[in-house]
């Protein structure tokens, strides 16, 4: 008689594993002194998009509803129009590929690969894990004096991104912090919420050591929004606790270095006594606005800001910013963007491009908030996913007032928009369907494609 082993059938691998691999590749160090362009994570994200397209062709299905197709496809019109009159044309093609990757293709692939809320949570935890790794590297850089140069000392935490993407670690850590807070405020198991809360508290340290004022502002606003959306009473209790802890740490024990205190104080001095970096930013903002006024509908073309900058900028603009440390030699980094996504789009793509992109983001925000109300009405089912999605989108929209796309960490922004789009266009509908049919949580899973059809 043959011996039959009682082996269980292996569980089917989740299709979001390739997306998690994209996130994991961002833990690899960037070559010191590199140009800060596309990296291995960008290449893998392209392969994920191609594999997703092949899968759809083989299945011969309509993957998206009309609403989802319109929302995700809105940026295409403005970007394609701006690419047609770009100078030089090659730069327009490069910019077209980058915009489509970040705002259309990778988000659409994430929407189609996420099957249910468990996959969403896996990606959210991968954000937290990446933030923990980058944050640990950043804290080590600050303690050992091996970070990027800041006020003559190599103490600025930049993680593995180096000085070519000095905002990369701050963005990654902020994303992880937002995800951890969303998971902690949900209605999942108490142990999972406790771990998420511990991760959120730990990530505040590297975020502070990044010395990124824009990331600080965006994170404070986002966490406030998440708390309010989770419940007003909870928001008031947590807010009071945070204020009390802050008073004790800063006032009672003197926690915080002089550099941090000076950086925090400088937030309120951007108009009274701005430093050179703030002056450069204001000057580039004004130049982008002048480009838009010269060509209000279509802008100067994709990747056109560096070409037209000197013709519109005042003499207050410096030749570049000094970068040094984190394994890289001194280098004068040219100022190639206004560090404001809205003004960059307005200057290069005109009013048409801004309306297309902003229309996509506004539609995602409205749908995500509507899904959050549905989750609360369904007894909190999927509330953590809703808070993570709304938080990521709010953080990105606020941060775009101080930053724009560029550098190796940009691919994480694309995955972020994919998570937001899945909840806004598929996940929230599934929560409503489960509530209507009274299907217990965790049973009757539906794929991302079926949820969108």
């Amino acid at each position: 008689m043959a011996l039959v082993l009682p082996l269980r059938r292996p569980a089917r691998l989740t299709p979001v594993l390739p997306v998690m691999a994209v996130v994991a590749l961002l833990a690899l160090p960037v070559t010191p002194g590199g140009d800060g362009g596309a990296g291995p994570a960008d290449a893998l994200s392209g392969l994920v998009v191609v594999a997703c397209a092949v899968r759809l062709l083989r299945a011969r299905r309509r993957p998206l509803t009309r609403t989802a197709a319109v929302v995700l496809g809105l940026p295409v019109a403005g970007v394609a129009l701006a690419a047609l009159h770009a100078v030089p044309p090659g730069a327009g093609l490069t910019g077209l590929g980058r915009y489509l990757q970040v705002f259309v293709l990778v988000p659409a692939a994430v929407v189609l690969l996420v099957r249910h809320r468990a996959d969403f949570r896996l990606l959210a935890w991968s954000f937290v894990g990446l933030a923990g790794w980058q944050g640990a590297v950043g804290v080590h850089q600050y303690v050992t004096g091996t970070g990027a140069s800041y006020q003559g000392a190599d103490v600025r935490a930049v993680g593995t991104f180096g000085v070519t993407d000095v905002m990369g670690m701050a963005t990654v850590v902020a994303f992880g912090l937002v995800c951890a807070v969303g998971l902690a405020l949900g209605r999942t198991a108490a142990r999972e919420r406790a771990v998420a809360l511990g991760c959120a508290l730990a990530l505040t340290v590297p975020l502070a050591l990044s010395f990124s004022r824009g990331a600080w502002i965006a994170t404070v606003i986002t966490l406030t929004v998440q708390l309010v959306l989770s419940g007003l009473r909870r928001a008031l209790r947590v807010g009071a606790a945070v204020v009390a802890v802050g008073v004790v740490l800063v006032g009672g024990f003197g926690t915080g270095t002089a550099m941090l205190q000076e950086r925090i104080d400088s937030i309120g001095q951007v108009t009274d006594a701005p430093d050179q970096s703030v002056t450069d930013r204001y000057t580039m903002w004004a130049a982008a606005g002048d480009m838009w006024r010269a060509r209000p509908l279509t802008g100067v073309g994709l990747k056109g800001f560096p070409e037209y900058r000197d013709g519109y900028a005042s003499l207050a603009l410096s030749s570049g910013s000094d970068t040094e440390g984190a394994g890289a030699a001194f280098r004068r980094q040219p100022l190639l963007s206004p560090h404001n996504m809205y003004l960059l789009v307005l200057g290069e793509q005109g009013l048409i491009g801004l309306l297309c992109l902003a229309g996509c983001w506004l539609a995602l925000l409205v749908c995500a908030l509507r899904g959050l109300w549905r989750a609360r009405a369904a007894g909190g089912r999927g509330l953590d996913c809703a808070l993570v999605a709304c938080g990521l989108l709010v953080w990105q929209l606020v941060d775009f007032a101080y930053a724009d796309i560029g550098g190796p960490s940009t691919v994480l922004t694309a995955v972020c928009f994919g998570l937001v789009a899945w909840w806004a266009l598929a996940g929230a509908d599934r929560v409503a369907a489960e509530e209507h049919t009274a299907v217990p949580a965790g049973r009757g899973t539906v794929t991302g494609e079926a949820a969108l059809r």
Side-chain angles (χ1 to χ4, degrees):
M1 180 181 294
L3 180 62
V4 180
L5 297 178
L7 297 178
R8 293 184 179 181
R9 184 178 180 181
R12 186 178 180 182
L13 295 178
T14 172
V16 298
L17 285 179
V19 185
M20 295 177 64
V22 172
V23 177
L25 282 179
L26 290 173
L28 298 178
V30 177
T31 303
D35 57 3
D42 293 281
L44 182 56
S45 71
L47 293 178
V48 171
V49 171
V50 172
C52 191
V54 171
R55 176 186 173 193
L56 293 178
L57 290 175
R58 292 182 60 184
R60 296 182 180 179
R61 300 180 187 176
R62 188 183 68 180
L64 302 174
T65 63
R66 291 181 181 177
T67 301
V70 170
V71 171
L72 293 176
L74 264 178
V76 177
V79 174
L81 182 61
L84 291 176
H85 60 276
V87 179
L93 292 176
T94 303
L96 177 65
R98 190 61 156 170
Y99 274 92
L100 292 181
Q101 173 204 14
V102 176
F103 299 115
V104 181
L105 298 178
V106 173
V110 173
V111 170
L112 296 172
L113 292 177
V114 174
R115 298 174 302 176
H116 39 62
R117 293 192 298 274
D119 290 341
F120 184 101
R121 294 186 183 103
L122 276 177
L123 282 177
W125 277 112
S126 70
F127 274 48
V128 177
L130 176 64
W133 164 249
Q134 292 289 351
V137 175
V139 171
H140 179 266
Q141 291 170 336
Y142 176 82
V143 173
T144 60
T146 56
S149 178
Y150 179 76
Q151 294 186 354
D154 295 341
V155 295
R156 186 169 189 176
V158 291
T160 64
F161 296 103
V163 295
T164 58
D165 190 9
V166 73
M167 299 297 300
M169 191 213 75
T171 300
V172 169
V173 171
F175 281 160
L177 179 56
V178 170
C179 289
V181 169
L183 293 168
L185 294 175
R187 304 288 175 84
T188 53
R191 182 177 180 180
E192 183 178 354
R193 286 187 278 118
V195 172
L197 179 60
C199 292
L201 293 175
L203 290 175
T204 58
V205 177
L207 182 62
L209 299 180
S210 69
F211 295 101
S212 172
R213 291 171 293 198
W216 292 347
I217 295 172
T219 303
V220 170
I221 293 176
T222 301
L223 297 187
T224 303
V225 170
Q226 285 181 303
L227 284 172
V228 172
L229 292 177
S230 67
L232 188 57
R233 291 183 180 179
R234 176 187 284 182
L236 292 176
R237 291 197 302 266
V238 174
V242 170
V243 171
V245 171
V247 170
V248 171
L249 290 179
V250 178
F253 299 103
T255 301
T257 65
M259 287 184 180
L260 274 176
Q261 188 61 48
E262 181 182 349
R263 191 67 166 175
I264 294 173
D265 294 339
S266 69
I267 295 177
Q269 300 172 352
V270 293
T271 56
D272 298 333
D275 54 31
Q276 185 58 48
S277 65
V278 175
T279 300
D280 288 339
R281 184 162 299 190
Y282 284 161
T283 304
M284 291 188 295
W285 287 4
D290 291 339
M291 293 178 195
W292 168 68
R293 280 184 282 271
R295 300 181 183 179
L297 289 181
T298 59
V300 298
L302 287 184
K303 296 287 186 178
F305 183 86
E307 297 290 333
Y308 292 88
R309 181 199 61 190
D310 294 338
Y312 289 94
S314 67
L315 296 178
L317 182 66
S318 64
S319 59
S321 60
D322 298 337
T323 60
E324 188 179 9
F330 175 83
R331 180 181 179 184
R332 191 72 173 168
Q333 193 78 17
L335 303 174
L336 303 179
S337 72
H339 298 292
N340 182 302
M341 190 66 194
Y342 305 105
L343 289 176
L344 175 64
V345 174
L346 194 62
E348 292 187 345
Q349 303 180 38
L351 193 59
I352 296 176
L354 182 61
L355 288 177
C356 290
L357 266 175
C360 171
W361 301 336
L362 180 60
L364 290 177
L365 182 60
V366 171
C367 293
L369 289 174
R370 185 185 63 178
L372 185 139
W373 308 137
R374 290 182 176 180
R376 296 191 64 175
R381 184 186 293 115
L383 182 61
D384 55 340
C385 299
L387 292 173
V388 168
C390 292
L392 289 175
L393 185 55
V394 169
W395 190 94
Q396 194 64 77
L397 295 182
V398 175
D399 185 69
F400 273 163
Y402 308 94
D404 47 51
I405 60 174
S409 62
T410 300
V411 69
L412 196 65
T413 300
V415 179
C416 162
F417 274 108
L419 282 175
V420 174
W422 180 83
W423 171 256
L425 302 173
D429 292 337
R430 182 170 176 237
V431 167
E434 288 179 354
E435 177 67 12
H436 179 71
T437 57
V439 176
R443 295 182 58 188
T445 57
V446 182
T447 65
E449 295 176 24
L452 287 176
R453 293 207 314 272

